[in-house]
Amino acid sequence: MRASGILRGAFERVARSQPQQLSAYSSLTGLFAVNKPAGVTSTTIVDLIQFVARRNQANPLVQRVLELDGSKRAKRGLIKVGHGGTLDPLARGVVVIGIGAGCKRLHSMNGSSKVYIAECRLGFSSTTLDSTGSLVAQGKTDHITKDSVIRALNTFKGEISQTPPLYSALSMDGKRLYDYAREGLALPREIPSRKVQIYELELLSFPDDHFTTDPSLEHYGFRVGQKDAIPDQGPLTPFSFSFLDGFHAKRMTDTPESNPDHVPIPSTPKGLVFHLRVHCSSGTYIRTLIADIAAHLGTVGHMTDLLRVEQSVFKLGGEATLEIEECVNVEALSHAVQAGNRLLEESSPPNLLNDGCSIE
């Protein structure tokens, strides 16, 4: 409360000294986060916020954002919205969203560290390195113990080298890598490896009677408590936006399972399933990390579930993070944006008047 009061006082002092700039602010301008469900693209979250704003153009909060923008887009009733880092359709959790001048801050979000909880299945590999892809290979897991997994995890802490997966949004010669894959085209050259940082890598579950499963897994909706390996989820089911009449999410096309040559990953009790908590730098591919850990253990593996728990100052369950159903309410959006602006100000004070994001 004291820090908040100091910030409020600082802002008011600047406002009094430069009253002509007060009109440059909107309480709907800044950053917040959305808890993205599986079966939704990050771009769809952006489309949803724009849809809600356009439907509520008469709301003074939305009107102010449009007035401050003044672009051709704003004249069509569209506010500026962006996201701070793609989260795969299979994955769920924190996606940072920028509104209005807050989009200027999204670049810093792209480079921020992230915390994930991942579900790993060893014994099967896929084209996409996750459960939506086609089966590529199978491997044995009988030789893998809890201790061998923990030793393997220790070798992946710190700075490591990764090769991004073919099914990713990275571009090569102006074309997305996943488009090369979907169209069956050869890459112009090999995908370059990159250096990333793994700050923390913790085993949260293991199918061993002597291992205590982390209670957060059940809280976050992971499938736990089963003695046998957990079957894959299979084809990804699109999320339903039935709570918002008139909004139609873009259909996810050209998914691996829609390919006539698709070979599904066997839904059998075979394999080995465990969960990891990963704190990593920007640019880390958890799918690749799991495949590399599997290779280190002498087998193959892929990701079956992924939850982004944190990105920068934004956390699941925090005041600045909304459930997707809450995004239909403009006042809820404004409240989350202001909470996000406070978090960012407290973590690394920006120049409020330059970035156009106010704290109220």
Side-chain angles (χ1 to χ4, degrees):
M1 293 298 292
R2 182 174 179 272
S4 177
I6 293 173
L7 291 171
R8 185 189 301 275
F11 179 76
E12 289 175 349
R13 286 193 298 274
V14 172
R16 285 195 298 269
S17 65
Q18 302 184 43
Q20 72 278 8
Q21 299 189 49
L22 274 177
S23 60
Y25 304 113
S26 164
S27 62
L28 196 57
T29 294
L31 298 183
F32 71 106
V34 175
N35 181 11
K36 184 188 88 66
V40 176
T41 65
S42 300
T43 302
T44 297
I45 304 297
V46 171
D47 294 340
L48 172 67
I49 303 303
Q50 288 177 330
F51 178 88
V52 170
R54 191 165 189 174
R55 174 170 281 191
N56 292 272
Q57 285 185 56
N59 188 300
L61 296 174
V62 177
Q63 286 182 347
R64 191 68 192 125
V65 176
L66 293 172
E67 290 171 1
L68 293 174
D69 189 326
S71 67
K72 292 181 179 179
R73 175 190 59 249
K75 291 178 181 178
R76 297 197 307 270
L78 295 175
I79 64 172
K80 186 176 183 180
V81 184
H83 66 74
T86 300
L87 193 58
D88 291 341
L90 169 69
R92 50 199 175 95
V94 172
V95 173
V96 178
I97 300 295
I99 296 180
C103 292
K104 297 176 183 178
R105 289 179 171 179
L106 289 176
H107 180 72
S108 64
M109 291 297 105
N110 285 326
S112 61
S113 66
K114 302 171 180 68
V115 177
Y116 296 94
I117 294 177
E119 184 177 274
C120 322
R121 186 185 186 195
L122 304 191
F124 304 90
S125 64
S126 78
T127 51
T128 59
L129 305 185
D130 64 26
S131 56
T132 67
S134 293
L135 179 67
V136 172
Q138 300 186 44
K140 294 182 178 181
T141 60
D142 294 343
H143 63 289
I144 300 173
T145 65
K146 175 193 68 177
D147 290 338
S148 66
V149 171
I150 292 175
R151 286 194 298 271
L153 298 184
N154 287 332
T155 66
F156 284 89
K157 294 178 182 178
E159 184 180 77
I160 65 171
S161 180
Q162 272 196 344
T163 300
L166 178 58
Y167 278 87
S168 65
L170 296 177
S171 294
M172 182 177 290
D173 293 352
K175 192 181 186 73
R176 301 283 190 184
L177 292 183
Y178 57 64
D179 286 330
Y180 283 104
R182 292 168 180 170
E183 296 170 21
L185 300 175
L187 294 177
R189 55 189 173 279
E190 290 186 357
I191 302 173
S193 62
R194 56 168 67 176
K195 298 291 186 181
V196 297
Q197 286 283 347
I198 305 298
Y199 304 114
E200 297 176 79
L201 188 55
E202 179 185 2
L203 185 64
L204 298 183
S205 81
F206 191 83
D208 182 330
D209 290 337
H210 302 291
F211 189 91
T212 302
T213 298
D214 192 291
S216 67
L217 294 175
E218 187 172 0
H219 172 74
Y220 287 128
F222 285 92
R223 301 167 293 179
V224 295
Q226 301 184 32
K227 294 294 182 181
D228 296 327
I230 304 169
D232 274 13
Q233 295 176 339
L236 189 59
T237 302
F239 179 78
S240 173
F241 286 89
S242 58
F243 58 88
L244 183 58
D245 291 339
F247 179 73
H248 303 288
K250 295 176 182 176
R251 190 170 67 90
M252 293 181 290
T253 59
D254 298 324
T255 54
E257 63 267 17
S258 66
N259 188 320
D261 298 322
H262 174 64
V263 180
I265 300 169
S267 293
T268 71
K270 296 180 180 179
L272 175 66
V273 174
F274 55 84
H275 296 85
L276 300 175
R277 179 182 180 274
V278 186
H279 179 199
C280 57
S281 65
S282 175
T284 304
Y285 282 89
I286 306 301
R287 289 176 286 155
T288 299
L289 178 64
I290 292 169
D292 290 345
I293 291 171
H296 186 88
L297 290 165
T299 187
V300 294
H302 65 285
M303 184 182 76
T304 53
D305 195 2
L306 182 68
L307 175 71
R308 186 188 283 167
V309 182
E310 299 179 23
Q311 180 174 357
S312 182
V313 298
F314 298 94
K315 301 180 181 181
L316 281 184
E319 187 182 12
T321 303
L322 296 179
E323 296 301 314
I324 194 167
E325 294 86 358
E326 295 178 298
C327 294
V328 302
N329 185 290
V330 175
E331 282 67 31
L333 290 174
S334 178
H335 178 81
V337 166
Q338 290 304 304
N341 289 346
R342 284 194 296 271
L343 288 172
L344 290 167
E345 172 69 6
E346 291 164 2
S347 65
S348 180
N351 185 321
L352 296 180
L353 292 177
N354 284 345
D355 68 18
C357 302
S358 66
I359 296 178
E360 295 184 348

